[in-house]
Amino acid sequence: LSYNKRINDIRECKEAAVSHAGSMHRERRKFLRSALKELATVLSDQPGLLGPKALFVFMALSFARDEIIWLLRHADNMPKKSADDFIDKHIAELIFYMEELRAHVRKYGPVMQRYYVQYLSGFDAVVLNELVQNLSVCPEDESIIMSSFVNTMTSLSVKQVEDGEVFDFRGMRLDWFRLQAYTSVSKASLSLADHRELGKMMNTIIFHTKMVDSLVEMLVETSDLSIFCFYSRAFEKMFQQCLELPSQSRYSIAFPLLCTHFMSCTHELCPEERHHIGDRSLSLCNMFLDEMAKQARNLITDICTEQCTLSDQLLPKHCAKTISQAVNKKSKKQTGKKGEPEREKPGVESMRKNRLVVTNLDKLHTALSELCFSINYVPNMVVWEHTFTPREYLTSHLEIRFTKSIVGMTMYNQATQEIAKPSELLTSVRAYMTVLQSIENYVQIDITRVFNNVLLQQTQHLDSHGEPTITSLYTNWYLETLLRQVSNGHIAYFPAMKAFVNLPTENELTFNAEEYSDISEMRSLSELLGPYGMKFLSESLMWHISSQVAELKKLVVENVDVLTQMRTSFDKPDQMAALFKRLSSVDSVLKRMTIIGVILSFRSLAQEALRDVRNHYKFLRNLLKYFLLCNSYIFYQVAMNVYELSSAAGLPCEIDPALVVALSSQKSENISPEEEYKIACLLMVFVAVSLPTLASNVMSQYSPAIEGNGHCNNIHCLAKAINQIAAALFTIHKGSIEDRLKEFLALASSSLLKIGQETDKTTTRNRESVYLLLDMESPFLTMDLLESCFPYVLLRNAYHATFLAFHTNSLVYIIF
């Protein structure tokens, strides 16, 4: 019967524990959270209280540790009825305040030492001495031990703490154990049981000595949570619950800090466990910090997306709707019709009627501030002799995401060849950078370093991960899409507008060239790519030019004999006409030279934009201009270095250093330098004698309607091609640029003047338009020389004829 009664009692106790223990411990944790929070707040404000309140600190730590361990051990075997009591989403807060108290004890250890050294020497030693003096019986051995206690405590001073002396009271504590043994035997002269006050006082003294020399051991004894090492699944689940609850994310740093406890559970007698536990602590700490950084990165990305959307609303392209609505509203007021509802203007989202209204952006900022508090809580932590820096995790994640976001914001589609306008991308990047700069208000990271690392990588062809950058994307797009359509005759370069413009064709292009090549877009492109990116763009352009020049040289080699004779027979019209008929691939030469001219025109736009956006280097630019003026008096290699530096700053150069480098790489071993020089000279001859064939091309007509005052087939770019190619080739071969261009001008003017003697209207339909090609500006030729070869009166008459023909055709079109 007695056994059955006991069984029933145990069963009742078990049922009571199962039904009430969960809620009881839940309320305990709730109380401890508030108590530890208040204690940590008071001690952070008044750290001097750590001395007198040390016992309460260690009691609070031990109570909290016991509750956490209880919850951890019961988490896998929770009763179904009260499962909610065994799931604590606020456990991170309790752990965080434990870590905060531990940090206070470690940080203000000298304060506690100073207090208890004074306590031991000024109070404990006096009281113990009085107790010893009042003992009726005190054997010699016990008397010696207690006298040593008093002497040890009396000899303590604050100066020892200030000098950083290491205290060791282990011998004193061993003597207390020895004294207890002496006084606890049955036949002891001095019985400790009869002197309770002595026992209490000695236990108090032992606690005080531990506050001086064993603070770290006391922390391990009262608040060690290394047991989490063996409950990694529950540990990770608690961490995930912490991140999911925005109000608890500020305490998420507690989980990586707990990883510093794990090595406390290792023992010298079991060294094989040390590496396994150490590896687990490192992996868990790394995982926690990485997840925290990812969460913060995602929040920052969402904020950046919102800000980019708001910035996009301020782009000029959106004002068209507002203007249209204003016009329609005015006209419909007059007619009495109802208009469309007014479009919300940017900035409406900031107007609030009630402070309780919370937007998505507010929620994101609140969540980010909470999480950044956690990341910024400690500068670093040491886990198994490895140092972890939470801020570096966030910095590395921001760099990776910023890189991907910049490339993603280009919206490049390889299939459709669509890409964002440089100005729109620049606006988005600036909005993104503004948000990232505001992160410094939440966490102490060097965001400038992030900008430098990411934006400098974007000026290269590939980033550090081998992925394409905005430099490579925009370079490919301008070369393979825009300039290729120029070669196909769908786009023309307008010099006066300084832009490429779509021409009316049957197959309309999917993009407007002017929206990607006008001066504002080129400036935006220069600001995005920077000098390094623009240099890569120039090098890519020069590579295309060098391939065209290589093909031109092949054509020259095919016609070398004819061109050699024509070079010396330009004053013999009949012979020149006969020789010209023997030339092959004349149209190909002009087409390739036009392509070169178009590419060089685009490069000049890019260089001018680079010069405009880099105008804060005024001193350097003035110095470079001075060098350029003195360039004729310095050596070739020095001159090329000056040209290269000037080109990097966007300054115009007589000789393009990038083109010189690109063409220099074409030198072949099978051809002598003299032969190369001859081919270069004959190339100029080939171009000069081929110009008259342009008069028969319908697209060669000079059109004043084009705001650029040019030709629809871009032959007005030939002048730039001829000047730059001649300058580069004859710089490489150390020839006279002026002499070769004089020769070109003589041949070209002679060939063009012969068009006037032609009677075939088809051949001479655009004669005046072709004449205008000689109205070119060259840094190597003077107007007097042009006047001697091709009188300016002919150019003036040509301009008059083309303008008259254009207006006549326009009038006929209007009449019909």
Side-chain angles (χ1 to χ4, degrees):
L1 292 172
S2 60
Y3 280 119
N4 291 333
K5 186 177 180 181
R6 293 301 179 191
I7 290 172
N8 292 331
D9 291 343
I10 293 172
R11 187 178 291 112
E12 288 177 6
C13 292
K14 177 234 178 185
E15 294 296 333
V18 169
S19 59
H20 301 297
S23 59
M24 181 189 69
H25 285 280
R26 181 192 65 202
E27 293 302 319
R28 269 190 194 171
R29 291 193 300 273
K30 183 178 179 181
F31 167 76
L32 285 171
R33 278 199 301 271
S34 61
L36 263 66
K37 179 180 180 181
E38 293 173 1
L39 185 59
T41 304
V42 170
L43 293 179
S44 62
D45 184 57
Q46 300 291 335
L49 292 176
L50 273 168
K53 300 300 179 183
L55 181 60
F56 290 97
V57 171
F58 289 109
M59 286 170 60
L61 289 173
S62 61
F63 289 152
R65 177 203 60 188
D66 294 341
E67 291 302 317
I68 291 170
I69 291 176
W70 185 92
L71 179 67
L72 185 65
R73 285 175 171 165
H74 289 80
D76 292 335
N77 300 295
M78 62 183 74
K80 296 180 180 179
K81 293 182 180 179
S82 57
D84 293 340
D85 294 334
F86 293 83
I87 299 173
D88 191 351
K89 294 184 178 180
H90 298 83
I91 194 68
E93 186 176 355
L94 184 57
I95 299 173
F96 175 81
Y97 290 124
M98 282 186 66
E99 289 296 327
E100 192 165 3
L101 288 176
R102 286 167 58 92
H104 286 327
V105 172
R106 285 192 294 265
K107 182 178 180 180
Y108 299 109
V111 174
M112 299 177 69
Q113 284 183 327
R114 187 186 184 95
Y115 175 84
Y116 282 103
V117 163
Q118 290 178 316
Y119 205 119
L120 286 167
S121 62
F123 179 80
D124 290 340
V126 175
V127 173
L128 181 62
N129 189 37
E130 290 180 358
L131 289 173
V132 172
Q133 294 297 330
N134 294 330
L135 291 176
S136 58
V137 178
C138 186
E140 184 179 358
D141 292 341
E142 286 84 341
S143 178
I144 293 173
I145 293 175
M146 286 189 286
S147 298
S148 69
F149 290 163
V150 174
N151 293 333
T152 301
M153 290 187 291
T154 306
S155 64
L156 296 175
S157 67
V158 176
K159 192 174 184 302
Q160 292 175 286
V161 180
E162 295 173 349
D163 294 340
E165 184 177 329
V166 178
F167 295 94
D168 188 358
F169 294 107
R170 287 179 297 176
M172 184 176 175
R173 288 191 285 271
L174 284 173
D175 283 342
W176 168 235
F177 293 149
R178 191 177 294 114
L179 181 61
Q180 290 180 78
Y182 289 164
T183 57
S184 299
V185 294
S186 58
K187 296 181 180 181
S189 301
L190 177 65
S191 176
L192 191 60
D194 299 332
H195 299 84
R196 287 179 172 274
E197 293 299 322
L198 177 63
K200 291 179 181 179
M201 189 62 204
M202 280 308 302
N203 282 333
T204 303
I205 290 172
I206 294 304
F207 174 74
H208 292 171
T209 60
K210 288 185 177 182
M211 294 298 99
V212 177
D213 70 337
S214 303
L215 279 175
V216 176
E217 289 79 359
M218 284 294 293
L219 287 176
V220 173
E221 185 179 341
T222 57
S223 60
D224 177 50
L225 291 172
S226 58
I227 191 173
F228 274 100
C229 178
F230 308 103
Y231 291 87
S232 56
R233 185 176 299 175
F235 196 25
E236 293 174 18
K237 185 178 179 181
M238 289 179 180
F239 176 72
Q240 292 298 331
Q241 290 175 346
C242 175
L243 286 184
E244 290 170 3
L245 199 62
S247 62
Q248 289 295 302
S249 60
R250 70 185 286 116
Y251 308 116
S252 56
I253 191 64
F255 293 93
L257 289 173
L258 275 186
C259 296
T260 61
H261 296 211
F262 288 1
M263 299 310 294
S264 301
C265 65
T266 60
H267 197 277
E268 295 177 358
L269 299 179
C270 193
E272 62 272 11
E273 286 185 352
R274 181 175 177 82
H275 287 282
H276 297 293
I277 294 174
D279 290 339
R280 177 167 292 185
S281 64
L282 293 177
S283 62
L284 284 173
C285 185
N286 178 69
M287 188 267 289
F288 291 149
L289 292 175
D290 195 56
E291 286 297 322
M292 290 165 60
K294 284 181 181 178
Q295 185 85 352
R297 177 204 65 191
N298 293 337
L299 290 171
I300 293 169
T301 303
D302 293 340
I303 294 172
C304 289
T305 303
E306 294 275 352
Q307 289 294 340
C308 288
T309 303
L310 295 176
S311 298
D312 183 74
Q313 294 175 7
L314 297 175
L315 290 175
K317 66 180 183 180
H318 294 297
C319 69
K321 293 182 180 178
T322 305
I323 296 171
S324 175
Q325 282 184 351
V327 173
N328 293 337
K329 184 178 178 181
K330 186 176 180 181
S331 62
K332 288 178 181 179
K333 272 185 179 179
Q334 295 172 356
T335 57
K337 295 181 180 179
K338 291 184 179 181
E340 298 177 1
E342 288 191 11
R343 176 173 168 266
E344 287 188 352
K345 295 180 180 179
V348 174
E349 68 282 346
S350 300
M351 299 172 63
R352 308 189 191 191
K353 297 179 180 179
N354 192 335
R355 290 188 178 186
L356 299 177
V357 176
V358 179
T359 64
N360 184 46
L361 206 54
D362 296 333
K363 295 176 182 177
L364 291 173
H365 277 292
T366 303
L368 179 62
S369 63
E370 294 290 310
L371 192 55
C372 284
F373 170 84
S374 185
I375 294 173
N376 198 48
Y377 182 70
V378 289
N380 50 60
M381 60 185 74
V382 179
V383 179
W384 197 36
E385 299 178 357
H386 290 71
T387 302
F388 290 85
T389 307
R391 298 167 193 168
E392 288 300 318
Y393 279 81
L394 178 60
T395 301
S396 62
H397 277 288
L398 286 179
E399 286 184 9
I400 296 171
R401 178 54 62 89
F402 189 29
T403 300
K404 291 181 179 179
S405 297
I406 289 179
V407 175
M409 284 188 292
T410 59
M411 295 182 289
Y412 179 65
N413 189 330
Q414 193 171 5
T416 60
Q417 290 297 310
E418 294 178 351
I419 199 169
K421 299 175 189 175
S423 59
E424 295 181 5
L425 176 60
L426 182 60
T427 301
S428 299
V429 170
R430 283 175 174 167
Y432 213 107
M433 291 174 67
T434 302
V435 174
L436 291 181
Q437 281 179 321
S438 68
I439 302 305
E440 291 183 335
N441 299 327
Y442 300 105
V443 59
Q444 294 177 0
I445 60 174
D446 186 6
I447 205 67
T448 305
R449 191 186 76 183
V450 176
F451 292 158
N452 290 338
N453 290 346
V454 173
L455 296 178
L456 280 176
Q457 286 184 35
Q458 292 301 311
T459 64
Q460 306 301 314
H461 179 49
L462 297 173
D463 62 17
S464 58
H465 301 284
E467 298 294 328
T469 61
I470 58 173
T471 296
S472 61
L473 293 178
Y474 274 107
T475 298
N476 291 337
W477 188 87
Y478 277 103
L479 284 171
E480 302 300 330
T481 303
L482 190 141
L483 293 179
R484 189 174 294 277
Q485 294 300 333
V486 176
S487 304
N488 294 337
H490 297 151
I491 299 173
Y493 172 63
F494 291 0
M497 293 178 63
K498 292 186 178 180
F500 289 83
V501 180
N502 290 26
L503 295 175
T505 55
E506 294 180 1
N507 298 323
E508 290 293 332
L509 298 179
T510 57
F511 64 93
N512 189 349
E514 187 178 357
E515 294 179 357
Y516 289 87
S517 62
D518 65 6
I519 192 65
S520 62
E521 295 297 332
M522 296 306 295
R523 285 174 181 169
S524 299
L525 183 68
S526 300
E527 199 159 350
L528 284 168
L529 305 190
Y532 288 114
M534 297 303 284
K535 183 181 179 183
F536 176 78
L537 174 63
S538 297
E539 290 174 352
S540 302
L541 293 171
M542 294 307 137
W543 182 85
H544 281 265
I545 290 176
S546 64
S547 63
Q548 295 292 340
V549 171
E551 294 300 321
L552 285 170
K553 287 181 178 180
K554 292 178 182 178
L555 297 178
V556 170
V557 171
E558 292 176 4
N559 299 276
V560 64
D561 296 332
V562 178
L563 292 172
T564 304
Q565 296 180 49
M566 296 182 78
R567 184 180 183 186
T568 56
S569 306
F570 66 91
D571 55 346
K572 302 172 184 177
D574 297 335
Q575 189 174 351
M576 286 288 287
L579 291 171
F580 183 77
K581 293 178 181 179
R582 293 169 56 189
L583 285 176
S584 61
S585 307
V586 174
D587 293 337
S588 179
V589 169
L590 292 173
K591 185 175 181 180
R592 292 185 184 280
M593 283 299 291
T594 303
I595 292 173
I596 292 173
V598 167
I599 295 175
L600 289 172
S601 298
F602 178 77
R603 171 169 159 74
S604 68
L605 289 180
Q607 288 295 100
E608 184 178 349
L610 180 62
R611 182 172 69 252
D612 292 341
V613 299
R614 298 290 163 181
N615 56 5
H616 49 281
Y617 303 137
K618 291 183 180 178
F619 173 77
L620 179 61
R621 287 178 59 192
N622 292 336
L623 183 63
L624 290 173
K625 288 179 181 178
Y626 172 76
F627 276 131
L628 288 174
L629 291 174
C630 303
N631 219 8
S632 57
Y633 302 102
I634 55 181
F635 297 107
Y636 165 76
Q637 190 57 48
V638 178
M640 292 310 300
N641 291 337
V642 172
Y643 281 136
E644 187 173 358
L645 185 58
S646 302
S647 178
L651 295 175
C653 303
E654 294 179 355
I655 303 170
D656 194 328
L659 186 57
V660 171
V661 172
L663 296 181
S664 298
S665 61
Q666 289 185 344
K667 288 184 178 180
S668 57
E669 299 177 356
N670 300 329
I671 303 177
S672 63
E674 293 78 11
E675 191 68 21
E676 286 277 359
Y677 179 70
K678 181 182 177 182
I679 292 174
C681 295
L682 293 180
L683 175 58
M684 293 293 103
V685 174
F686 205 163
V687 175
V689 299
S690 302
L691 291 179
T693 59
L694 294 172
S696 61
N697 191 341
V698 178
M699 299 297 291
S700 297
Q701 183 178 2
Y702 184 83
S703 177
I706 298 176
E707 294 184 37
N709 296 339
H711 307 76
C712 292
N713 59 354
N714 292 305
I715 60 173
H716 51 276
C717 298
L718 282 171
K720 185 177 286 291
I722 292 163
N723 275 316
Q724 294 291 340
I725 292 295
L729 286 176
F730 297 118
T731 298
I732 295 170
H733 299 298
K734 297 181 175 57
S736 174
I737 303 172
E738 290 82 356
D739 292 345
R740 299 287 68 80
L741 284 177
K742 287 178 184 177
E743 182 182 27
F744 167 82
L745 187 59
L747 285 164
S749 59
S750 174
S751 302
L752 290 175
L753 289 172
K754 291 171 187 173
I755 306 178
Q757 301 174 1
E758 294 287 341
T759 57
D760 187 2
K761 290 185 178 181
T762 305
T763 308
T764 62
R765 68 173 69 178
N766 290 318
R767 178 181 59 192
E768 287 77 10
S769 298
V770 177
Y771 281 170
L772 298 179
L773 294 179
L774 290 184
D775 187 18
M776 63 179 186
E777 295 181 4
S778 174
F780 307 103
L781 300 177
T782 62
M783 290 302 297
D784 293 338
L785 182 62
L786 177 62
E787 183 70 23
S788 64
C789 295
F790 196 89
Y792 194 78
V793 66
L794 293 178
L795 292 175
R796 188 166 60 247
N797 292 337
Y799 276 117
H800 179 72
T802 52
F803 272 80
L804 186 63
F806 168 75
H807 289 297
T808 303
N809 293 336
S810 299
L811 184 61
V812 171
Y813 175 79
I814 292 171
I815 292 172
F816 280 98

